[in-house]
Amino acid sequence: MALDPLDFGRRSHVPMSGWPIPADALQPYYPDALNFLGCDPRASVMKSRVEGDVRMDSLEHWAPEPDLGGRYRERLVAAAGITVITNARVSAMMVSGDGDIEGLELLTSEGRRDLRAGRYALAAGGLENTRLLLAAQERHPEKFGGREGPLGRFYAGHLTGYLGVIEFNNVETEDLLWFRKASGGDIVRQRLMIDPPVQAANGLLNAAYWLESLSIADPSHGSGALSLVYLIFALTGLYPRIARGLAPATSITPQRLYRAHWRNIRNDVAVIPGAARTLFDMLLRRFRRAAGAVRNPRRRYLLRYHAEQAPNAESIVRLRTQVEGKAAGLEIDLRFGMQDFDSIVRSHEIIDRWLRREKLGHLDYIHRCDERHDAVRDQALDGYHQIGSTRMSDDPGSGVVNADCRVHDVGNLYVAGSSVFPTGGQANPTLPAIALALRLADHLASLASDETPSSERKVVETVSS
């Protein structure tokens, strides 16, 4: 997923929002970032005939082979000018008298080792980048904005979960939002998103919404075909062998469960052909020849939300007290706020009104109205996307790195990864993080080209921390 243009601007209802670079600064790098991931940048959006408060043109890519280590291992080994050091950990960054980084201290299987280069780029993941900088700040408290500065603050992720089941009135809308194979072989899917002017008018945080299959064991899917398939597997004892455990499980008691499934079967006039198509679909998925999940003949799906978390200076990553002989770990105080919860609840209300107004379908809520904020809070859990703790800014008081991802008060230290995002938007951060890294690589190459003849350039060692 690419970030949306609105993510880069200052939004009056989102505290500390706005990037020091425009959306156009990343746009040229997305095709190469998609190619790097094995995705097809030519994949296009299927247009919808319906417009209004909600858009259906937010496109996500699924890489056919997510193991990038395996994909690029041979190229890294063969590349001239790159040294990959495995089984090594960066134990310290050495700061010179003028405040720049003069070297890295490594602990390897062969003992301690120092590395020296002209410039350094931390690309060890959001939390590990932050840990290395915090550890250096322990030795040099004035660096990176000082102990009370922005380093380690504004830690964020994404809120994700379910508040409702979406039911479509027509297969065309379902098709538009379902998995499909792009020309390059990767899988793409379009997601729902509230139109940016509507977000601004309602004071909403950015969010995306996509379809996820209800478990065939959950009779609330409403499909006699899915219920028949489930009963066949359950009564023959095969269900535990085919269940993947990805869809949320139902909490209905066994007796009520079977009654509900039989009711679905009785009310489905196309139960036999539907069950045959479902079984065929499941076999294709099991052998990885089809994209996505099991489709529901009743066109009912869980609606997954994936929502931006508002920047919060009190959401903090700190160093733990160091144990002798071990690197200091991290203590994480991840804080969500009422703005995060309320935005998700009100966004669902807008989507439901839009579905009904356009006669596309409706939402069936899982929770009562007075329970929805608590339901969002209870599902708020993130340790994956690691955003904001070395955020990008125009000035050292509100961020750690500048528009070129260089640490504000260090002339030769750069940070790559989602930790530099000032805000997270609705997108999974992988694609924009890679695009931003490619932009950083261009910047570093330009600096090196301007400074030294090619025959005199230093080789920078790439460290696996």
Side-chain angles (χ1 to χ4, degrees):
M1 287 295 304
L3 290 167
D4 299 305
L6 73 90
D7 296 322
F8 293 83
R10 297 192 185 279
R11 291 168 282 168
S12 60
H13 62 284
V14 181
M16 299 295 290
S17 59
W19 290 49
I21 60 174
D24 290 347
L26 281 192
Q27 203 61 41
Y29 294 97
Y30 281 129
D32 283 342
L34 285 166
N35 280 323
F36 175 79
L37 292 166
C39 296
D40 184 2
R42 299 167 300 172
S44 59
V45 172
M46 293 171 60
K47 298 296 183 183
S48 169
R49 61 178 176 79
V50 180
E51 296 181 350
D53 292 350
V54 181
R55 292 164 40 181
M56 293 186 280
D57 59 356
S58 180
L59 186 68
E60 69 178 15
H61 296 254
W62 290 58
E65 178 47 69
D67 179 11
L68 297 180
R71 182 181 178 89
Y72 291 105
R73 179 183 176 84
E74 291 184 6
R75 286 178 60 180
L76 283 170
V77 170
I82 296 177
T83 302
V84 179
I85 304 173
T86 59
N87 299 315
R89 175 169 57 82
V90 178
S91 56
M93 290 188 292
M94 295 172 281
V95 181
S96 66
D98 63 3
D100 284 354
I101 302 301
E102 62 179 3
L104 300 178
E105 180 184 282
L106 293 188
L107 294 179
T108 74
S109 56
E110 299 174 355
R112 184 181 175 278
R113 176 177 179 179
D114 291 348
L115 291 182
R116 297 181 185 274
R119 294 184 179 88
Y120 303 84
L122 301 181
L127 287 176
E128 183 65 6
N129 287 344
T130 308
R131 188 191 68 80
L132 289 169
L133 292 172
L134 287 170
Q137 192 181 65
E138 284 287 293
R139 299 183 182 186
H140 305 275
E142 75 286 356
K143 300 301 292 181
F144 320 131
R147 293 281 178 84
E148 299 303 317
L151 177 60
R153 294 184 178 274
F154 302 100
Y155 180 61
H158 287 97
L159 294 90
T160 186
Y162 313 98
L163 280 185
V165 172
I166 189 169
E167 182 171 333
F168 297 108
N169 292 342
N170 60 76
V171 73
E172 291 79 16
T173 308
E174 178 192 19
D175 283 344
L176 195 69
L177 297 170
W178 196 249
F179 298 95
R180 56 188 167 89
K181 188 166 285 190
S183 56
D186 55 314
I187 298 167
V188 297
R189 176 173 60 178
Q190 289 174 219
R191 316 204 286 193
L192 294 167
M193 175 183 166
I194 293 178
D195 199 42
V198 179
Q199 289 189 38
N202 289 274
L204 300 176
L205 297 163
N206 202 0
Y209 306 82
W210 63 81
L211 311 184
E212 289 194 0
S213 295
L214 287 150
S215 169
I216 64 169
D218 185 352
S220 68
H221 53 59
S223 165
L226 296 186
S227 287
L228 179 57
V229 170
Y230 168 70
L231 289 178
I232 290 170
F233 285 131
L235 296 175
T236 57
L238 293 175
Y239 183 70
R241 298 178 62 180
I242 61 98
R244 298 173 64 193
L246 299 180
T250 178
S251 58
I252 302 175
T253 61
Q255 188 176 16
R256 290 180 57 202
L257 180 73
Y258 287 120
R259 281 205 303 265
H261 279 299
W262 283 118
R263 186 164 53 250
N264 286 342
I265 293 169
R266 288 197 306 270
N267 294 335
D268 191 341
V269 296
V271 62
I272 300 301
R277 284 193 300 271
T278 297
L279 283 168
F280 182 69
D281 187 21
M282 293 177 73
L283 286 172
L284 284 179
R285 287 177 55 247
R286 191 154 187 87
F287 292 102
R288 299 185 178 181
R289 295 176 184 169
V294 174
R295 292 188 71 155
N296 184 350
R298 277 290 307 275
R299 300 188 291 273
R300 283 176 60 82
Y301 299 93
L302 285 163
L303 186 66
R304 164 80 75 171
Y305 61 81
H306 190 264
E308 177 180 24
Q309 181 180 351
N312 180 355
E314 299 307 311
S315 188
I316 299 176
V317 175
R318 304 182 182 89
L319 278 183
R320 290 185 185 273
T321 303
Q322 186 167 1
V323 178
E324 188 174 351
K326 295 184 178 180
L330 291 175
E331 177 183 297
I332 299 172
D333 184 5
L334 175 60
R335 298 193 183 187
F336 299 98
M338 183 52 68
Q339 182 181 11
D340 303 322
F341 311 146
D342 187 61
S343 178
I344 293 168
V345 171
R346 291 192 293 118
S347 294
H348 279 76
E349 294 168 358
I350 290 172
I351 291 171
D352 188 33
R353 288 197 298 270
W354 172 77
L355 288 167
R356 294 174 188 273
R357 184 171 61 247
E358 301 295 337
K359 297 180 171 55
L360 299 176
H362 64 274
L363 287 185
D364 288 332
Y365 283 102
I366 299 171
H367 311 88
R368 295 198 315 262
C369 182
D370 61 341
E371 297 175 336
R372 290 171 197 161
H373 286 82
D374 288 343
V376 174
R377 182 195 61 206
D378 293 343
Q379 295 176 85
L381 176 67
D382 196 290
Y384 303 103
H385 292 165
Q386 303 176 12
I387 291 165
S389 52
T390 64
R391 69 197 317 261
M392 186 188 293
S393 68
D394 283 321
D395 66 275
S398 56
V400 177
V401 303
N402 67 9
D404 293 321
C405 295
R406 180 181 62 78
V407 174
H408 278 295
D409 60 347
V410 182
N412 66 342
L413 179 62
Y414 297 79
V415 180
S418 59
S419 63
V420 306
F421 294 9
T423 51
Q426 55 85 13
N428 304 62
T430 301
L431 184 64
I434 293 173
L436 197 58
L438 292 172
R439 178 176 178 270
L440 172 57
D442 270 0
H443 175 69
L444 293 174
S446 175
L447 291 177
S449 179
D450 291 344
E451 290 174 354
T452 350
S454 59
S455 60
E456 299 177 13
R457 288 181 200 155
K458 295 180 180 179
V459 173
V460 178
E461 292 188 303
T462 302
V463 179
S464 174
S465 65

